[in-house]
Amino acid sequence: MANNLKDQAEHHIQAQNIIVIHPGSHYLRIGRASDVNPVRILHAIARRRKPGGAVHRDAVLPPVVEKTKELLQELEDCRLQITHTLQSCVQSNGQRRYATPPQQIAAFNRRSQPEVVPDSETEWHDTTGSDVVIGEDVLLLNPAGDYNVHFPVRRGELNLHAGVGGSLFGVMSDLQTIWEHVLHTRLHIKPSEMRQYRAVLVIPDIYNRAHLREFVTLLLNQIGFGCCFLVQDHVAATFGAGLGYACVVDVGDEKTSVSCVEDGISHPNTRVRFDYGGADVTQVFYWLLQKCAFPYRECSEQTPLDGILLRRLKEDFGHVNLDVCGSVEKSFSVQHPGMAKRNYTLQVGDEAMVAPLSIFFTELLAITGANRTAPKTQKGCSSQPHPEDCFDAEYIRETGRRNKENLEQSAIDSGALPNTEAPDEDLVVDGLEQERERETKSNDRDYLLPGGQLVGLDQAVIQSIERCSTDELKRKMYGCILIVGGGIKFPGIGSWLQNQVASKIPPVYRTEQSIVSSPKDMDPEITSWKGAAVMSCLESVVELWLTEPEWTRYGLRILREKAVFMW
């Protein structure tokens, strides 16, 4: 008993010295492995612009494409399609659903006038003498001020662009400043104590090798952790949910990814990532609100505070509950610095269901152009050569070519082959690499509809599972689908996905399905963070920790050896 208590105490002390970092497109989640919940802050930074310097302001929501006549017709056709689908559904009591006409809802909303709260004005954030502003305070900066605003992660990747602050060095500097700010001010770790702490970084399932190198350098050489290791978000999600295997569906703010994980390994062939997420659903919801005369008429999705408001309304109003029919009266408040607080009342009908379903009916995502962006599969990291990585794809291809040439020359010398001209360079290519190229090209095609448009989430799950290597593995994955991420926290979305997938599963794999959308009553937004925290305290991960001397001496080679994922 005494030994057991001693082990628990040592485990807790160890967990207190492990910092788990999960960087997202919208939020950064960071905390000790012993914490129940991580610190969550807006993953944004504002830097004071140099006099006469270039202006750059990343928006909270992805920009809307130009609303041409053709685009509006496409959006309206898809909206009607979803509406008809919902009208053909039945409630839990067996009765058919009914809907309030949008014209009736719009008539109510046009009459709705805001209630102004007297003496409720607030001021813009005072930044006198501050060159850097981090987190939610960025939203309270005067848009007319002299700050550039950066979100270091966009669409699940480093936000590299041609504008000011968009270089790899600039983005990594922003990450260092934000992360160190949270470590020092929220977790109260002094810079002189950093070597006593270990870091676990949650990385995307589909990663860029060069970026992984930058992340490890940031953690060990610049921030100064004693050691670190990296874990893929889908693998961490299964640990957080307590599952040995699952098809993980991760819907974030700006990206959606799917892969099949078994025994802590994410199968490379099954990985796919789409450039759409909760922020695109927010833009769809705003378009639907405008169609039914949204009473807050001054709203602009490009204004940071309005972007956050629309995001909150989507989360508060959105659902996929077939028992909710007709119009529902809702209220919300708007408070911007320099203006009095205003309370609004409005009615919403099936708009609250149509917006969440846009990730199944991706024509609606045309509003941000997200439905036309090609999906990313694992080929993105299979052929990224790097001078430090002596066994990368380039090395294997070159040595394969040389070995083949040497064998042919030996055969010629021995008289086994006639002496012909040197082989055509184009033909002497590693067969494995050719096969991989063919496979990844077909991978991309599988996730696109005939018009070059992305498939819906249900179809993406099916395609991912169908890429599993054995029938037994496919059967297991169809039987356990795990939904994580903060992009689709809508009541009833799990049941809808389950029904859609069930109707498309090949008959041979039809078993008892299980859709897990909030494992252990946990917020799906922190499932991956929690899983990385659990994993970091296991005895079996002792071999995984990378130290600063190892990293400085061996670089990417040591990461290839110690990484918990297939390189």
Side-chain angles (χ1 to χ4, degrees):
M1 180 71 177
N3 281 342
N4 194 23
L5 288 172
K6 184 182 174 187
D7 288 346
Q8 284 181 353
E10 284 178 0
H11 183 273
H12 185 70
I13 291 167
Q14 179 195 355
Q16 279 190 314
N17 276 32
I18 296 173
I19 305 298
V20 181
I21 305 170
H22 187 188
S25 302
H26 190 74
Y27 285 120
L28 166 68
R29 296 166 197 86
I30 181 169
R32 290 177 168 84
S34 56
D35 293 342
V36 176
N37 293 309
V39 171
R40 185 181 83 158
I41 74 161
L42 190 72
H43 206 187
I45 183 170
R47 295 187 182 275
R48 192 181 293 278
R49 201 178 304 124
K50 290 186 173 125
V55 177
H56 181 86
R57 299 182 70 88
D58 285 329
V60 169
L61 296 176
V64 171
V65 299
E66 185 187 352
K67 290 179 182 168
T68 61
K69 191 176 174 184
E70 292 79 12
L71 174 69
L72 291 172
Q73 188 59 52
E74 183 183 352
L75 293 172
E76 185 59 21
D77 290 346
C78 184
R79 185 191 72 80
L80 289 170
Q81 181 191 353
I82 300 175
T83 302
H84 292 148
T85 301
L86 290 173
Q87 283 175 350
S88 67
C89 295
V90 293
Q91 302 174 58
S92 57
N93 60 10
Q95 294 183 345
R96 289 183 74 85
R97 289 191 78 255
Y98 61 89
T100 304
Q103 299 87 340
Q104 189 177 320
I105 294 172
F108 176 92
N109 291 339
R110 279 195 197 94
R111 292 194 301 271
S112 177
Q113 294 298 319
E115 174 205 338
V116 180
V117 180
D119 304 322
S120 58
E121 283 191 27
T122 58
E123 296 302 318
W124 291 107
H125 185 63
D126 182 17
T127 57
T128 312
S130 176
D131 287 337
V132 176
V133 179
I134 290 167
E136 275 71 13
D137 289 343
V138 169
L139 302 172
L140 301 175
L141 293 172
N142 192 327
D146 54 351
Y147 282 88
N148 286 338
V149 177
H150 306 277
F151 280 78
V153 180
R154 278 279 133 117
R155 299 292 185 195
E157 288 190 341
L158 293 181
N159 184 19
L160 306 179
H161 55 83
V164 62
S167 66
L168 183 57
F169 176 81
V171 172
M172 297 311 294
S173 298
D174 287 344
L175 287 175
Q176 181 177 351
T177 305
I178 298 169
W179 296 3
E180 285 183 338
H181 169 80
V182 180
L183 289 166
H184 301 161
T185 64
R186 302 289 292 273
L187 300 183
H188 309 293
I189 300 172
K190 296 174 185 169
S192 58
E193 298 171 346
M194 287 309 305
R195 280 274 172 251
Q196 301 166 27
Y197 287 84
R198 302 167 171 226
V200 178
L201 180 67
V202 181
I203 62 167
D205 247 38
I206 294 178
Y207 51 83
N208 181 310
R209 282 186 189 158
H211 294 176
L212 295 194
R213 178 182 177 277
E214 297 298 328
F215 279 127
V216 177
T217 301
L218 171 62
L219 294 171
L220 296 180
N221 298 125
Q222 278 148 343
I223 296 178
F225 283 104
C227 51
C228 74
F229 78 79
L230 312 180
V231 58
Q232 289 167 299
D233 47 9
H234 289 195
V235 172
T238 58
F239 275 89
L243 299 170
Y245 60 86
C247 175
V248 181
V249 180
D250 183 352
V251 184
D253 194 61
E254 293 200 346
K255 61 95 177 152
T256 294
S257 53
V258 183
S259 81
C260 295
V261 179
E262 182 189 34
D263 298 331
I265 296 291
S266 165
H267 291 274
N269 280 351
T270 67
R271 297 176 200 161
V272 65
R273 186 175 80 220
F274 303 104
D275 283 351
Y276 64 75
D280 301 280
V281 176
T282 302
Q283 288 286 31
V284 172
F285 187 52
Y286 181 44
W287 174 71
L288 292 166
L289 288 177
Q290 287 175 302
K291 279 185 71 67
C292 55
F294 187 46
Y296 173 30
R297 292 169 187 86
E298 303 80 15
C299 182
S300 167
E301 77 271 17
Q302 295 167 335
T303 305
L305 285 172
D306 283 343
I308 295 293
L309 169 72
L310 291 169
R311 191 176 190 276
R312 194 179 77 239
L313 294 185
K314 173 202 68 177
E315 291 172 353
D316 290 349
F317 299 173
H319 66 89
V320 191
N321 182 352
L322 295 171
D323 288 348
V324 177
C325 303
S327 61
V328 180
E329 206 164 292
K330 299 277 189 180
S331 59
F332 66 95
S333 301
V334 177
Q335 179 149 34
H336 289 357
M339 297 174 68
K341 182 177 181 180
R342 288 159 291 165
N343 296 327
Y344 289 87
T345 302
L346 82 160
Q347 281 187 356
V348 287
D350 276 357
E351 292 80 15
M353 292 181 74
V354 172
L357 292 179
S358 60
I359 57 169
F360 296 94
F361 299 84
T362 56
E363 295 96 325
L364 275 185
L365 300 177
I367 195 152
T368 60
N371 67 329
R372 299 284 178 188
T373 309
K376 292 178 181 64
T377 49
Q378 197 53 47
K379 70 174 176 187
C381 61
S382 63
S383 55
Q384 296 157 351
H386 196 280
E388 274 184 26
D389 187 3
C390 54
F391 295 108
D392 63 15
E394 192 72 24
Y395 169 86
I396 291 167
R397 185 164 54 243
E398 286 301 316
T399 52
R401 178 181 289 130
R402 283 196 211 105
N403 287 342
K404 185 170 181 179
E405 287 172 357
N406 291 341
L407 284 170
E408 286 180 348
Q409 190 59 49
S410 300
I412 289 167
D413 292 345
S414 65
L417 273 179
N419 190 359
T420 58
E421 288 185 19
D424 187 340
E425 187 69 17
D426 289 341
L427 298 178
V428 189
V429 177
D430 179 18
L432 181 70
E433 203 65 26
Q434 279 185 322
E435 184 61 36
R436 187 176 292 163
E437 279 300 308
R438 275 199 299 273
E439 193 171 272
T440 49
K441 279 176 187 168
S442 66
N443 260 359
D444 285 358
R445 280 201 302 272
D446 284 350
Y447 295 104
L448 291 169
L449 293 169
Q453 179 176 286
L454 295 180
V455 299
L457 189 61
D458 50 341
Q459 197 65 45
V461 169
I462 301 274
Q463 298 287 11
S464 177
I465 294 176
E466 283 300 310
R467 297 212 154 268
C468 289
S469 54
T470 66
D471 289 350
E472 181 54 33
L473 189 55
K474 290 178 188 176
R475 188 172 284 106
K476 283 166 72 173
M477 293 303 162
Y478 278 124
C480 186
I481 297 172
L482 171 65
I483 303 177
V484 297
I488 53 166
K489 294 196 292 185
F490 302 110
I493 198 85
S495 301
W496 185 276
L497 177 61
Q498 183 164 359
N499 291 334
Q500 295 302 308
V501 171
S503 68
K504 298 177 177 71
I505 291 181
V508 67
Y509 301 124
R510 282 196 184 138
T511 55
E512 191 63 38
Q513 270 184 281
S514 169
I515 300 257
V516 185
S517 54
S518 54
K520 303 178 180 177
D521 294 326
M522 189 193 307
D523 184 343
E525 205 173 308
I526 66 164
T527 307
S528 293
W529 181 90
K530 182 64 80 176
V534 169
M535 193 175 169
S536 68
C537 298
L538 298 175
E539 287 181 21
S540 54
V541 302
V542 173
E543 302 290 320
L544 303 178
W545 293 106
L546 278 172
T547 64
E548 190 272 331
E550 283 178 321
W551 179 247
T552 302
R553 183 173 180 187
Y554 299 109
L556 275 178
R557 286 173 290 166
I558 194 75
L559 191 56
R560 175 191 281 279
E561 280 182 31
K562 288 198 170 190
V564 287
F565 42 88
M566 291 171 165
W567 192 246

